[in-house]
Amino acid sequence: MRARSSVIGKTVAAVAAGGALIGVTPLVAGAVTSDSKPAPSVAAKGATLVDGESGTSLFDKEGGTARPIASTTKIMVASVVLDEEKLDLQQKVPVQQAYRDYVTEHHASTADLQTGDKLTVQQLLYAALLPSGADAAYALADTFGDGDSRAERVRSFVSQMNAKARELQLKKTKFTTFDGTGEDVSTPDELAKLAGHAMQKPLFRKVVKTKEFKGEAPAANGRTRYYTWNNTNQLLGAYDGAIGIKTGTTSKAGECLVFAAKRGDKSLVGTVLNSKDRYKDAAKLLDHGFGSDDAKDLKIRKLPSDAQQD
């Protein structure tokens, strides 16, 4: 995307429910909408909101400034996997101890995958996107990267992530890891564009709107392992029409959220980066887009006490 100060550059977003690609019309940052409703004040250092139907950018706050993006990185992980030719979603992937060790070493969020269990690619997508499992993202990188060693395959997969960013013309988006614990950066505008690309995939849309997933997998001892993963995106079930997409939190990135919502035939996609209250920010932006007043009564969906936080 073109660098700019007060005017949003051209980007592309998906209609959140249907996945059709549309252009985004530039809008002066801080401008009012056509009905003269003032733009909301948000705590996030960077934010954007896109109308998925008209293509108009409804809100921009430093939308072209690159910032750390934490686990929203996993949107790209899923995109690379789902864009694979002849993808076999039922392919079994054995869980390696290295995936668990990585979580421990990096203090990363986890799907608590157990060594020796065999999960499908589809299950790993749920595990990476709902509890934001770095272990699941590692498993996907190890499976879909190229090379003779695990390290080579991971480097290859991260290279694929950066190649996909270039393909989508996300010029300020750079990845160094598969889980957002490194120097992974993007802009609010470019994350919205990436989300639009990902939301074209029916499975991605299904996964990111799921509040809780229950599945089972063959365990190393021959028995069956049962998994339950809760979606860390607490906007789901709290804001009417919310349908995704992904949280992210690190000390450097702050609270991040890529979100989407649909009411009737109107859909919206947005991003907040480095926020002190990402859900309130997202709700304010969605209210701005829908012309509603729900943010003031927002009650965040509570997660089980043992669920991952991200």
Side-chain angles (χ1 to χ4, degrees):
M1 298 180 65
R2 295 196 300 269
R4 79 282 184 274
S5 55
S6 63
V7 179
I8 296 177
K10 287 284 187 178
T11 185
V12 176
V15 176
L21 286 176
I22 54 177
V24 172
T25 304
L27 179 73
V28 176
V32 296
T33 53
S34 58
D35 62 359
S36 298
K37 184 178 180 180
S41 173
V42 297
K45 291 185 178 179
T48 194
L49 181 71
V50 172
D51 185 316
E53 302 300 329
S54 69
T56 302
S57 180
L58 300 175
F59 180 89
D60 173 85
K61 179 180 179 181
E62 296 191 20
T65 300
R67 300 182 185 280
I69 59 174
S71 287
T72 62
T73 293
K74 291 166 187 146
I75 299 172
M76 180 59 90
V77 171
S79 293
V80 170
V81 172
L82 290 171
D83 284 347
E84 280 278 324
E85 293 186 10
K86 299 180 180 179
L87 176 64
D88 180 5
L89 289 168
Q90 301 309 311
Q91 176 185 346
K92 297 282 189 178
V93 177
V95 176
Q96 306 296 323
Q97 182 62 37
Y99 308 158
R100 294 180 57 85
D101 292 342
Y102 180 91
V103 167
T104 301
E105 179 183 353
H106 293 270
H107 306 286
S109 51
T110 179
D112 197 23
L113 305 183
Q114 297 297 304
T115 303
D117 288 4
K118 294 181 179 180
L119 284 83
T120 67
V121 169
Q122 180 165 302
Q123 288 175 323
L124 289 173
L125 288 169
Y126 276 96
L129 292 170
L130 269 63
S132 199
D135 43 0
Y138 195 165
L140 290 169
D142 193 13
T143 300
F144 290 94
D146 297 318
D148 295 328
S149 69
R150 184 176 295 115
E152 289 175 341
R153 291 190 292 273
V154 168
R155 284 194 296 270
S156 166
F157 188 83
V158 174
S159 293
Q160 291 178 51
M161 293 167 65
N162 284 308
K164 181 65 65 176
R166 292 192 296 272
E167 177 186 325
L168 296 174
Q169 298 184 9
L170 310 181
K171 296 180 180 179
K172 296 183 180 180
T173 300
K174 307 292 180 186
F175 298 103
T176 62
T177 70
F178 49 77
D179 66 334
T181 58
E183 300 301 317
D184 308 278
V185 299
S186 188
T187 72
D189 289 345
E190 291 189 358
L191 272 181
K193 184 176 181 179
L194 173 59
H197 174 78
M199 291 291 273
Q200 292 180 79
K201 300 291 186 178
L203 178 58
F204 185 88
R205 296 198 301 273
K206 179 181 179 181
V207 171
V208 297
K209 72 178 182 181
T210 300
K211 298 185 189 74
E212 182 183 80
F213 175 86
K214 292 181 179 290
E216 57 185 62
N221 61 8
R223 298 181 180 179
T224 299
R225 182 91 60 193
Y226 296 93
Y227 286 98
T228 298
W229 298 310
N230 288 277
N231 198 323
T232 59
N233 180 7
Q234 293 172 270
L235 197 65
L236 294 173
Y239 189 91
D240 181 30
I243 55 173
I245 298 177
K246 185 72 188 75
T247 59
T249 307
T250 63
S251 57
K252 183 181 291 186
E255 293 185 9
C256 302
L257 181 67
V258 181
F259 57 93
K262 182 175 175 63
R263 291 183 179 179
D265 60 358
K266 187 169 189 177
S267 58
L268 302 169
V269 178
T271 305
V272 293
L273 296 181
N274 202 330
S275 172
K276 295 185 183 299
D277 194 343
R278 58 185 165 190
Y279 298 119
K280 192 63 172 286
D281 280 350
K284 285 182 178 180
L285 292 176
L286 290 171
D287 275 355
H288 184 62
F290 288 127
S292 56
D293 191 25
D294 295 342
K296 62 182 178 61
D297 297 320
L298 188 70
K299 294 182 179 179
I300 296 302
R301 174 177 59 93
K302 290 186 178 180
L303 297 175
S305 59
D306 59 347
Q308 287 292 299
Q309 304 287 332
D310 179 40

